[in-house]
Amino acid sequence: MRALNLHLGAVYAFLYLPIAVLMVLSLNKSGLPTAWGGVSFEWYGKLVENPKITGAALNSLIVALWSTLIATVLGTMLALGVARARPSPGRDALLFAPMIIPDIVLAIALLSFFTLLKFSLGLHSIVMAHVVFNIAFVCAVVRVRLASYDWSLNEASRDLGATALTTFWRITFPLILPSVVAGALLAFTLSIDEFIIAYFTAGAGQSSTTLPMQIYAMIRFGVTPEINAMATIVMAFSFVLVLAAQRLNRGRIPGA
Amino acid sequence: MSPRLTSTLLMAPGLLWLGLLMVVPCLLIFVLIFFERGIYGGIDWNAATLENIRRAFDSLYLSIFLDSAVIAGLSTLIALLIGYPAAYAIARAPAERQTALLFLAMLPFWTNYLIRTYAWIVLLNPAGLVNSLLLQAGAISEPLPLLYNKPAVVLGLVYSYTPFVILAIYSSLQRLDPAYAEASRDLGAGAATTFLRIILPLTAPGVAAGAVFVFVLSIGNFVTPDLLGGGKFQMVGNLIYDQFLSARDWPFGATLSALLIALMMILLFLQALASSRARGEHARA
């Protein structure tokens, strides 16, 4: 048992040490990996002054907000519909597929599809692509909540004279709201961090470059303190969102 | 409105979105296989051919498939060896702490893949932390080539996908009735025998699910081979990437993707088979 716990501790160290090193170095004034020049936010300042980075960050926020909004509405409706529909393995496979298809496959499939239709590429096509996997995640989170939902509440509400719509807004929606918000937070995290599908469906030009695309372009040319600072912000942002999602969803996140 | 109609109307927009922007594009891949590339890239719809399929089985591409399978297989094996005991430790922890421990293991998985990969460049590059520390300590006289080779790619893949392996195996372990292990011990089996004969077979579905996931995502990866392998050798993911974004031979890229999908389907089928067999043993046990 002791050996197992030691192993688990070592696994956490393996998972978190590289990230921790990155975060500490982002604060190093000297900008070098081994010479500590004192704590400084200099590199963070440099980020804000770089219009390519701020522009890409703004694009990512736009994509993440739209894809989260659409996916949360459609994914929640889907979960509600599935909860009362006859079980269907085919439909379940369809809802599961976006989570397991390798990104590169969906990326080239969508690029071919958009090109064939002569559909213009840009932030809007990234949003459409991101909604595909975000629907699946939102739907999965809400379905878990609905699995333990007491449908007799709805019957009681209807018996007392409420319409179906009133019952939904006054009874069902408040009860599933935490899972809807949790699903939305996860969708937002996934979208803002997604690189491969965005890279293929963005089209050319800086106007539709998202933050991960900008990060990819930068890290291919090596390590800089600015990238460390940007990486720290992006990581911290995801940590907070996922932690909030987990809290809201009473300790359950899909896939955890 | 009848409940059935309501349910259908609720599902329609989401299913339509998935149908139009996932199912149709993926089917399109299978259509592209049978056409030639256009002169300026794109697709020449007037030229039907089986050449792409033949070409995918050329020894050149076959060896890339094989090389990637070896790297993906090795990454899968290492991720399982690291992940299984970790999942086991979490499953044996006090019930009220399990959620937090699992969450801690999964958290990196939800963050930016590029940055997690970049973190290893920071550590391992010639002027990186590891080399600098070793040089300062006098353990080496010149930087070790820790980056831009196959072991670095395997390390990156293991690092990225181990959290998922832990999750998959933990879910299996959690469903396992502890009475089986107790019964085995009561009947005189040692800890090792109990693990190998009872626990491991019954958690095989989780192991298989984790393995399929790591293997498929590794073999189709192009980011990690590019960033940690320095673009010096290709995996199937890089090959597909090149066909679409540099060689501009979309039909051939589609053919390679279709092979990747086929491989994934076969592995998922085998995984489903493994879990139904495990359920059978569960019933008999």
Side-chain angles (χ1 to χ4, degrees):
Chain A
M1 214 41 222
R2 251 187 85 81
L4 269 178
N5 286 336
L6 279 176
H7 174 82
L8 185 61
V11 170
Y12 287 136
F14 171 61
L15 290 176
Y16 284 97
L17 266 181
I19 300 173
V21 167
L22 191 68
M23 291 182 162
V24 171
L25 287 182
S26 77
L27 294 168
N28 185 1
K29 194 169 171 50
S30 81
L32 296 166
T34 43
W36 185 253
V39 174
S40 147
F41 286 93
E42 188 185 336
W43 309 114
Y44 290 85
K46 289 245 164 78
L47 282 185
V48 190
E49 290 162 17
N50 186 336
K52 276 194 172 174
I53 293 173
T54 48
L58 189 65
N59 282 343
S60 276
L61 280 175
I62 294 170
V63 168
L65 279 172
W66 277 109
S67 74
T68 301
L69 190 70
I70 300 170
T72 304
V73 174
L74 296 189
T76 304
M77 286 169 62
L78 197 48
L80 286 164
V82 170
R84 324 249 8 210
R86 231 181 273 142
S88 147
R91 193 181 52 222
D92 281 347
L94 185 67
L95 293 178
F96 186 55
M99 301 197 240
I100 55 159
I101 291 182
D103 292 343
I104 183 107
V105 171
L106 194 57
I108 62 134
L110 281 163
L111 173 61
S112 311
F113 180 67
F114 286 142
T115 309
L116 182 70
L117 296 180
K118 300 201 167 39
F119 194 85
S120 70
L121 298 179
L123 290 183
H124 58 282
S125 52
I126 306 178
V127 170
M128 289 165 72
H130 279 192
V131 169
V132 170
F133 58 79
N134 274 345
I135 283 184
F137 278 94
V138 172
C139 179
V141 178
V142 179
R143 274 178 82 177
V144 171
R145 174 68 191 88
L146 283 172
S148 60
Y149 183 79
D150 183 0
W151 291 100
S152 63
L153 290 170
N154 286 36
E155 282 158 34
S157 165
R158 299 300 295 276
D159 288 348
L160 293 168
T163 64
L165 211 57
T166 309
T167 303
F168 174 75
W169 286 115
R170 301 285 298 270
I171 309 287
T172 313
F173 188 66
L175 284 171
I176 64 166
L177 186 60
S179 68
V180 174
V181 177
L185 288 173
L186 288 179
F188 192 86
T189 313
L190 287 170
S191 177
I192 210 156
D193 284 335
E194 201 285 326
F195 165 60
I196 297 169
I197 296 169
Y199 192 56
F200 277 78
T201 53
Q206 192 71 28
S207 66
S208 56
T209 297
T210 63
L211 194 57
M213 288 158 71
Q214 183 64 35
I215 292 175
Y216 186 66
M218 289 170 75
I219 62 183
R220 289 187 77 178
F221 295 103
V223 175
T224 67
E226 287 94 345
I227 307 178
N228 295 347
M230 177 165 55
T232 302
I233 297 175
V234 174
M235 280 263 159
F237 196 64
S238 308
F239 282 165
V240 171
L241 288 180
V242 177
L243 201 63
Q246 196 248 7
R247 276 278 138 113
L248 277 168
N249 212 25
R250 296 187 297 183
R252 286 177 310 220
I253 54 176
Chain B
M1 216 162 25
S2 80
R4 173 120 307 141
L5 183 63
T6 314
S7 150
T8 307
L9 286 177
L10 282 169
M11 292 190 292
L15 292 179
L16 212 63
W17 197 291
L18 292 181
L20 201 64
L21 289 162
M22 181 182 71
V23 179
V24 173
C26 284
L27 290 176
L28 179 64
I29 291 185
F30 286 90
V31 177
L32 292 185
I33 294 172
F34 301 102
F35 291 90
E36 279 178 18
R37 59 178 290 190
I39 302 166
Y40 304 108
I43 295 111
D44 183 351
W45 293 108
N46 298 315
T49 176
L50 290 174
E51 171 63 17
N52 292 313
I53 299 172
R54 198 203 54 74
R55 198 173 143 210
F57 289 94
D58 265 1
S59 59
L60 169 67
Y61 299 112
L62 222 48
S63 77
I64 293 178
F65 243 93
L66 225 57
D67 275 357
S68 339
V70 169
I71 290 181
L74 199 60
S75 308
T76 307
L77 187 69
I78 298 173
L80 289 175
L81 290 176
I82 295 176
Y84 200 107
Y88 199 77
I90 296 176
R92 291 277 297 265
E96 70 279 4
R97 275 170 51 196
Q98 290 185 13
T99 312
L101 288 171
L102 186 67
F103 179 73
L104 199 60
M106 279 300 287
L107 187 57
F109 190 73
W110 285 98
T111 63
N112 196 300
Y113 185 92
L114 293 169
I115 291 175
R116 280 184 287 147
T117 308
Y118 169 73
W120 285 100
I121 303 182
V122 173
L123 286 177
L124 301 181
N125 79 74
L129 189 68
V130 173
N131 270 317
S132 303
L133 288 178
L134 288 174
L135 280 170
Q136 275 180 5
I140 50 172
S141 54
E142 51 188 277
L144 298 171
L146 300 171
L147 210 56
Y148 308 132
N149 49 36
K150 286 185 187 179
V153 175
V154 172
L155 174 69
L157 294 170
V158 168
Y159 179 70
S160 301
Y161 299 134
T162 297
F164 187 84
V165 169
I166 295 177
L167 168 72
I169 295 172
Y170 171 81
S171 325
S172 272
L173 281 166
Q174 201 196 19
R175 278 196 290 270
L176 187 70
D177 188 343
Y180 292 138
E182 281 163 31
S184 163
R185 299 300 294 271
D186 288 348
L187 292 167
T193 312
T194 303
F195 178 75
L196 289 174
R197 302 277 305 269
I198 308 290
I199 298 174
L200 194 57
L202 288 175
T203 51
V207 174
V212 170
F213 181 88
V214 179
F215 189 82
V216 171
L217 288 186
S218 296
I219 206 169
N221 204 304
F222 76 85
V223 172
T224 303
D226 189 41
L227 293 177
L228 300 183
K232 276 194 290 196
F233 58 96
Q234 286 195 309
M235 296 195 31
V236 181
N238 305 82
L239 205 53
I240 297 173
Y241 172 95
D242 284 344
Q243 298 307 318
F244 271 83
L245 296 186
S246 37
R248 297 199 67 79
D249 189 344
W250 291 17
F252 187 56
T255 310
L256 296 168
S257 309
L259 285 175
L260 194 60
I261 298 177
L263 181 72
M264 184 181 82
M265 292 297 203
I266 293 169
L267 291 174
L268 283 176
F269 176 73
L270 291 176
Q271 191 257 326
L273 214 63
S275 52
S276 70
R277 270 194 52 188
R279 266 202 299 277
E281 278 179 32
H282 212 257
R284 260 183 286 135

